[in-house]
Amino acid sequence: MNLLVTGAWIGAQEHIPAIEAMGHRVVFQQWETDPLPCGNAWVEGVICNSLFLHHPIEMFPNLRYIQTISAGLDRVDVDYVSAHGIELHNARGVYSVPMAEFAVGGVLQLYKQAKTFFENQKSHTWEKHRDLRELCGKTVTVLGCGSVGTECAKRFRAFGCRVLGVDLFPRQDESYDEILPLTDLNGVLPGTDILLLTVPLTKDTRGLIGADRLARLKPSGILVNIARGPVVDEAALADALRTGVLSGAVLDVFETEPLSETSPLWDMDTVILTPHNSFAGEGNSERLANLIIRNLEVD
C-alpha cells in the first residue's frame, strides 16, 4: 500500500523502516498544512491527525486506509469514509491511561483543596482546613463508556466510588456498577457527585451538557471534561460555577482552543484548567506504535 505518513505521529520516522519491511511504500510529510510531497492519486493510505482539515479527503481518489493518531474522529468525514468503503482506525486505548489518571487527579485536587494549600505553602502559612471531601462513597457518572471512560471507571471504583455509565450502547461491564442508555441521563444527574465526560464529538453530542443538565446536578457536583470542548455549553458552565449551581470543574478541553485570555474560567478558584494536555503520558509512544503496526499487519 502507498502510505502517506505525517509528522503528527511523533517518532514516525523511527518506525518507517519496519513499515516498509512489511511491503508498504511510505512518503513522509512533516507538517500537515504543507503541500503534499506526492501526487494525490498515489496515496492509498494515510497515518495522520488533522490532514483532512487542510487537504480535503475528496482529493484522494484511491484512498482506502486511514489511521488517525487521535482517539476522536471529529477531524475525519466519517460519512464520506463509510460511503466509500475506506478502512478507518483511530488510536483507541492509546491515551486512556493518562487521561483516566488526569481525571482522578483533577477531582482530588478540588476535593483536597490543593490550590489553597499550594498558595499557603508559598506564603509560609500554617492553616488547617477541616472541610476536605472524600472520594469514597461518591457517585461518578461516566458519559461515554469507551476505552477512556472505562479506564476512568476502574480508577474511581478503586477509590470506593459507585460508578454509573451512560452510553448509546449499554452493556454489562465489570468496570461499572451499571451502564444505562443515554435516554436515562437526565434521571441520573440529580444523584451524581462527579459527571465525567468522555464522549466523542458528533452532531448529537455537541452542546449535550447545557444549563438545564448542569442545574440537575447536586450543588456539590463537579464536572470533568476530557472529551471535546463543544460537548459543553461553556458560557452556561461558567455561569453555573459563578452562581454556585456547581461546586467545581476539571477542564482540559474548550469550545475554542487556545482558551481566550478573557475567559472567566481562568480565574475561578473552583476550576482545574489545563491546555488539552490530559492525554500526555510516557507510555503513549509505545502504545501508539504498537497499535499502528498491528493494524497495518492485518490490513
Side-chain angles (χ1 to χ4, degrees):
M1 178 166 53
N2 295 337
L3 273 174
L4 173 63
V5 178
T6 79
W9 176 16
I10 298 173
Q13 294 184 78
E14 174 186 346
H15 300 282
I16 286 175
I19 294 173
E20 290 177 330
M22 297 164 62
H24 301 293
R25 296 160 296 281
V26 178
V27 167
F28 180 77
Q29 176 176 339
Q30 180 61 54
W31 305 110
E32 295 183 340
T33 54
D34 286 350
L36 296 179
C38 58
N40 294 24
W42 181 87
V43 178
E44 296 173 325
V46 296
I47 300 173
C48 66
N49 182 30
S50 304
L51 182 72
F52 301 121
L53 298 183
H54 312 288
H55 305 276
I57 194 169
E58 297 84 1
M59 291 174 53
F60 301 91
N62 296 315
L63 187 63
R64 60 182 176 87
Y65 184 94
I66 299 171
Q67 169 76 63
T68 71
I69 65 157
S70 65
L73 293 173
D74 45 297
R75 300 182 183 99
V76 179
D77 185 340
V78 292
D79 292 333
Y80 181 93
V81 166
S82 177
H84 289 79
I86 298 170
E87 186 176 341
L88 176 61
H89 299 276
N90 67 351
R92 176 182 172 85
V94 170
Y95 312 108
S96 303
V97 167
M99 292 177 73
E101 292 179 355
F102 172 89
V104 174
V107 173
L108 284 173
Q109 286 182 69
L110 292 176
Y111 271 23
K112 305 305 179 184
Q113 299 181 22
K115 282 188 177 182
T116 296
F117 287 119
F118 177 70
E119 292 302 323
N120 285 352
Q121 180 179 345
K122 288 200 300 183
S123 63
H124 299 189
T125 300
W126 185 269
E127 179 183 76
K128 294 183 184 293
H129 285 242
R130 307 294 189 184
D131 56 341
L132 305 187
R133 289 189 276 178
E134 299 177 358
L135 263 179
C136 186
K138 299 298 190 292
T139 295
V140 179
T141 296
V142 179
L143 180 52
C145 302
S147 60
V148 174
T150 299
E151 291 299 325
C152 291
K154 293 175 184 176
R155 284 155 181 78
F156 278 104
R157 288 193 78 185
F159 277 88
C161 297
R162 176 174 179 252
V163 179
L164 300 177
V166 176
D167 198 87
L168 278 174
F169 306 102
R171 63 183 189 275
Q172 294 292 321
D173 191 313
E174 62 182 9
S175 299
Y176 302 84
D177 289 274
E178 187 178 7
I179 298 181
L180 303 165
L182 186 57
T183 51
D184 286 1
L185 176 60
N186 286 350
V188 302
L189 291 178
T192 295
D193 296 291
I194 300 159
L195 177 60
L196 173 57
L197 308 181
T198 60
V199 289
L201 178 61
T202 68
K203 63 180 185 298
D204 296 319
T205 62
R206 186 177 292 272
L208 185 63
I209 305 300
D212 176 68
R213 288 194 164 114
L214 292 170
R216 292 174 185 268
L217 290 164
K218 298 178 179 181
S220 60
I222 288 175
L223 175 76
V224 180
N225 190 4
I226 54 175
R228 286 289 189 264
V231 172
V232 178
D233 181 333
E234 203 165 281
L237 173 60
D239 189 59
L241 291 164
R242 181 181 56 81
T243 59
V245 170
L246 204 62
S247 76
V250 179
L251 306 173
D252 186 55
V253 291
F254 304 90
E255 287 182 342
T256 301
E257 297 179 1
L259 181 65
S260 169
E261 292 182 6
T262 62
S263 170
L265 295 171
W266 285 107
D267 299 312
M268 291 185 174
D269 290 336
T270 57
V271 173
I272 303 296
L273 186 157
T274 52
H276 206 139
N277 205 78
S278 65
F279 69 92
E282 61 189 332
N284 286 349
S285 295
E286 182 177 358
R287 285 189 293 266
L288 180 59
N290 289 341
L291 176 72
I292 290 173
I293 297 298
R294 184 167 64 248
N295 287 339
L296 285 171
E297 286 175 341
V298 299
D299 175 57

